[in-house]
Amino acid sequence: MENCLFCKIAEKKIPSTAVYEDDDLYAFKDINPHAPVHLLVIPKQHFSTLSDCTLEDAPLLGKMLALAPRLAEEFGCAVRYDEQGRPAAGFKTVINSGPDGGQEVYHLHLHVIGGAHPWRGER
Ligand code: 5GP
Ligand code: ZN
């Protein structure tokens, strides 16, 4: 897709800090992080929004989601359990879709956000 920022990032025409890559996906650090860990997972195939995906894209979407906890583990924010079995740490997975959904870049991307609080905007 011409003139798509994240297509250019996936093609390495625009620099980014890569954290994962395979034939289908590319993941990199968000340039303006909201939290200590803020990564973006994108498909190499261009979809403008989640609304452009169909049920046939479920394997690709599932792969994006399944990558999130693996990246969280690598960046120290995966959910873990204390001796009483209580969950600790953790991360958010977010896909903003369209103007009302707060989407700014029109290439599908999954935010993976975590790390110690406070995050941006929190006290
Ligand atoms: P959206 O609001 O579309 O869900 O999120 C777009 C995200 O892309 C934002 O968090 C923003 O900081 C990030 N972003 C925008 N431009 C760039 C860029 O050129 N490089 C990187 N690494 N992240 C970007
Ligand atoms: Zn694109």
Side-chain angles (χ1 to χ4, degrees):
M1 182 81 172
E2 260 179 67
N3 285 327
C4 169
L5 175 63
F6 285 178
C7 279
K8 286 181 185 162
I9 282 180
E11 291 163 7
K12 320 275 171 52
K13 290 177 179 159
I14 290 177
S16 64
T17 305
V19 297
Y20 178 85
E21 182 168 15
D22 66 22
D23 287 346
D24 304 313
L25 304 180
Y26 184 66
F28 56 103
K29 292 189 178 178
D30 195 293
I31 206 167
N32 188 16
H34 287 232
V37 179
H38 190 164
L39 310 172
L40 300 173
V41 178
I42 63 172
K44 288 186 172 176
Q45 183 184 348
H46 180 88
F47 297 90
S48 295
T49 81
L50 190 57
S51 290
D52 296 307
C53 297
T54 68
L55 283 179
E56 285 181 7
D57 302 311
L60 181 66
L61 294 168
K63 194 172 170 185
M64 289 170 67
L65 199 58
L67 181 60
R70 274 141 200 92
L71 293 175
E73 180 79 45
E74 192 180 327
F75 283 82
C77 59
V79 179
R80 46 183 175 264
Y81 297 90
D82 67 16
E83 282 156 14
Q84 282 74 43
R86 287 185 300 237
F91 58 94
K92 266 187 208 294
T93 44
V94 176
I95 298 177
N96 296 323
S97 301
D100 287 350
Q103 185 174 5
E104 287 174 3
V105 177
Y106 279 76
H107 179 124
L108 176 67
H109 52 282
L110 174 69
H111 295 258
V112 181
I113 305 169
H117 286 248
W119 293 357
R120 209 168 77 201
E122 293 176 337
R123 285 165 190 262

